[in-house]
Amino acid sequence: MNGKVYLVGAGPGVSGLLTLRGKEVIETADILFYDRLISPRLFSYASPQVEAVYVGKANRKHTMPQEEICRCLICAAREGKRVVRLKGGDPFVFGRGGEEAFALREAGIDYEIVPGVTSPVGALAYAGIPLTHRGLANSFTVVTGHQMSNDELLDWQNVWNRSDTLVILMGLEQWPEISQRLLLAGVPVETKAAILQAGSTALQKRVDGNLANIGIRSQKAGIHSPALVVLGEVAGLAPILDWQSSQP
Amino acid sequence: MNGKVYLVGAGPGVSGLLTLRGKEVIETADILFYDRLISPRLFSYASPQVEAVYVGKANRKHTMPQEEICRCLICAAREGKRVVRLKGGDPFVFGRGGEEAFALREAGIDYEIVPGVTSPVGALAYAGIPLTHRGLANSFTVVTGHQMSNDELLDWQNVWNRSDTLVILMGLEQWPEISQRLLLAGVPVETKAAILQAGSTALQKRVDGNLANIGIRSQKAGIHSPALVVLGEVAGLAPILDWQSSQP
């Protein structure tokens, strides 16, 4: 009999943001396929006999191509195993979970999606930045930096018009290009901005500024990937609402 | 000495989507202020001595005005209590968590934000709809139906241009008006759409269609609030990727 695959969102980084359901399926897993940036503490929930396979990606250098990850999930399930595919954030938000679900469906393998705290939500919460806030932001949009540095994919003027809060995931590397394009599209230089590194983890760091100066400031502060950029009025709330800086 | 307030996202409905950190703070809470649509099972994690106060809102009829909720949180913390404010979804995504954090900051009360699985992410996962999917959707935007039925707040053409996947929370009541406006703004009638009722809970229901017919179909299916509308190519994946319908 075939096993089952669980596509599990591990949350933004800190182990406490895993869901109860996520912990439950890790506890009973026979094999774990995991990405980079997964908290080591999550493995302590698994059985000592669990097989853990790293399939993460680092800087576009894919350890294992997506097609092969899909094949591995299917093979393990066909061996009757309980398979956990552990992803950062949420599997269906820039997590390629849809592609894995497709492959499993085609192969006739049962699966469950265990949603997680997606990184824009988790990282902003830990920085004290509400994605929406009465009077400041009534909607939010999430894109990736890769998308925003690709001219063909995006109408720059619309990107800004389109949202009250704009979150750009993996936007650090291409920030000089992205910010240039936003400015050329007419987004005001004084638009409030924050860059968040490794939100929710011990390496968490925040830099505040505006569209014009946030790049230089984050460089000076030594910010590195993974990081996300928040644009919009709510980014200006961080210095007030950051609840970790006031902790005893 | 003052107590502390925890603004906790309970997730989209099913108790298993609470985070480990959320459970931890509920376990040690002296008093719980909770919204409607919180799974009753979450209360079983609390101490038998916990005081539970309902402050939820039903159909715009506020049981307790927001300002009073803030005052209650502050008062309880000043009595030295460990206070948990339990909200559906995530506190910082249309949850008015920012307003509560502001009030606590002003009053000098320590607080922690415990992010949750926000309802668009959780409900879509349970329906088998990826928010992003290679080749179909490279970004997503989340708005509320209330906002979308208010002419002054939104440029309709831009709303559509602006996103690959558009999620409209609390969009059911005003759907006739919203869909009319989207059509007038030039959004194609055949745009794929899904309406999700009570995603992740036992009352979960999904209706598939397009911009033109989803309203009638959901009426026929007896869909009621809370429900959200998903627009975009990914909405068409639900019949394939819905993993609950294939469960034994």
Side-chain angles (χ1 to χ4, degrees), chain B:
Chain B
M1 209 186 106
N2 282 340
K4 187 166 173 176
V5 177
Y6 300 84
L7 304 180
V8 179
V14 69
S15 60
L17 296 183
L18 180 70
T19 62
L20 302 177
R21 179 65 183 150
K23 182 172 183 242
E24 202 171 76
V25 301
I26 290 173
E27 281 166 353
T28 56
D30 297 309
I31 186 164
L32 284 171
F33 292 94
Y34 66 101
D35 283 344
R36 81 188 176 116
L37 306 175
I38 297 294
S39 165
R41 193 173 297 180
L42 300 191
F43 297 100
S44 70
Y45 301 138
S47 129
Q49 285 77 44
V50 80
E51 198 180 335
V53 184
Y54 178 68
V55 296
K57 294 147 192 162
N59 297 323
R60 295 184 192 125
K61 203 176 68 191
H62 290 209
T63 300
M64 195 187 273
Q66 185 59 48
E67 299 67 32
E68 195 166 336
I69 295 175
C70 292
R71 272 198 297 274
C72 287
L73 298 177
I74 292 165
C75 284
R78 289 214 168 122
E79 288 166 16
K81 289 180 178 158
R82 278 175 69 92
V83 183
V84 167
R85 172 75 177 100
L86 204 51
K87 292 165 173 292
D90 177 84
F92 272 1
V93 178
F94 303 105
R96 305 188 73 164
E99 290 167 62
E100 293 173 9
F102 251 111
L104 294 165
R105 176 62 82 222
E106 272 189 0
I109 306 290
D110 260 357
Y111 61 90
E112 175 179 331
I113 311 293
V114 183
V117 175
T118 182
S119 66
V121 169
L124 268 69
Y126 270 67
I129 303 177
L131 274 153
T132 65
H133 193 78
R134 216 157 48 128
L136 295 184
N138 291 308
S139 71
F140 67 93
T141 295
V142 183
V143 298
T144 67
H146 177 68
Q147 182 193 1
M148 289 202 67
S149 57
N150 185 337
D151 243 339
E152 295 173 84
L153 285 174
L154 221 60
D155 176 335
W156 290 89
Q157 187 64 59
N158 275 329
V159 163
W160 184 247
N161 283 344
R162 90 194 197 181
S163 69
D164 288 322
T165 302
L166 178 63
V167 180
I168 307 165
L169 302 181
M170 299 166 282
L172 195 62
E173 273 177 54
Q174 289 122 327
W175 183 248
E177 200 178 339
I178 294 169
S179 58
Q180 203 61 36
R181 291 182 180 192
L182 287 168
L183 288 167
L184 286 173
V187 179
V189 291
E190 67 274 15
T191 302
K192 294 204 172 86
I195 290 191
L196 313 179
Q197 168 189 299
S200 87
T201 74
L203 299 172
Q204 172 178 331
K205 231 182 204 176
R206 188 192 83 231
V207 174
D208 302 313
N210 59 35
L211 179 53
N213 64 25
I214 192 80
I216 291 291
R217 287 189 183 182
S218 75
Q219 222 170 24
K220 278 188 187 157
I223 295 285
H224 55 74
S225 294
L228 58 79
V229 184
V230 190
L231 285 176
E233 281 300 311
V234 293
L237 300 180
I240 305 165
L241 297 185
D242 179 353
W243 47 275
Q244 295 197 298
S245 56
S246 73
Q247 289 203 308

Side-chain angles (χ1 to χ4, degrees), chain A residues 24-161:
Chain A
E24 203 170 75
V25 301
I26 290 172
E27 281 166 351
T28 56
D30 297 309
I31 185 164
L32 284 171
F33 293 94
Y34 66 102
D35 283 343
R36 79 188 179 119
L37 305 176
I38 297 294
S39 165
R41 194 172 297 179
L42 300 191
F43 298 99
S44 70
Y45 301 139
S47 129
Q49 285 77 43
V50 81
E51 199 181 334
V53 184
Y54 178 68
V55 295
K57 294 147 193 162
N59 296 324
R60 294 185 195 128
K61 202 177 66 189
H62 290 209
T63 299
M64 194 186 276
Q66 186 60 48
E67 298 66 31
E68 196 166 335
I69 296 176
C70 291
R71 273 196 297 273
C72 287
L73 298 176
I74 292 165
C75 284
R78 288 215 169 120
E79 290 166 13
K81 288 180 179 160
R82 278 176 70 93
V83 183
V84 167
R85 172 75 178 98
L86 203 52
K87 291 164 174 291
D90 176 83
F92 272 1
V93 177
F94 303 105
R96 305 187 73 166
E99 289 167 64
E100 293 174 7
F102 250 110
L104 294 166
R105 175 63 82 224
E106 273 188 359
I109 306 289
D110 261 357
Y111 62 90
E112 176 178 331
I113 311 294
V114 183
V117 175
T118 182
S119 67
V121 168
L124 268 70
Y126 270 67
I129 303 176
L131 274 153
T132 66
H133 192 80
R134 216 155 51 125
L136 295 185
N138 291 308
S139 71
F140 66 93
T141 296
V142 183
V143 298
T144 67
H146 178 69
Q147 183 192 3
M148 289 200 68
S149 56
N150 184 338
D151 243 338
E152 295 174 82
L153 285 175
L154 220 61
D155 175 336
W156 291 89
Q157 186 64 61
N158 275 330
V159 163
W160 182 248
N161 284 343

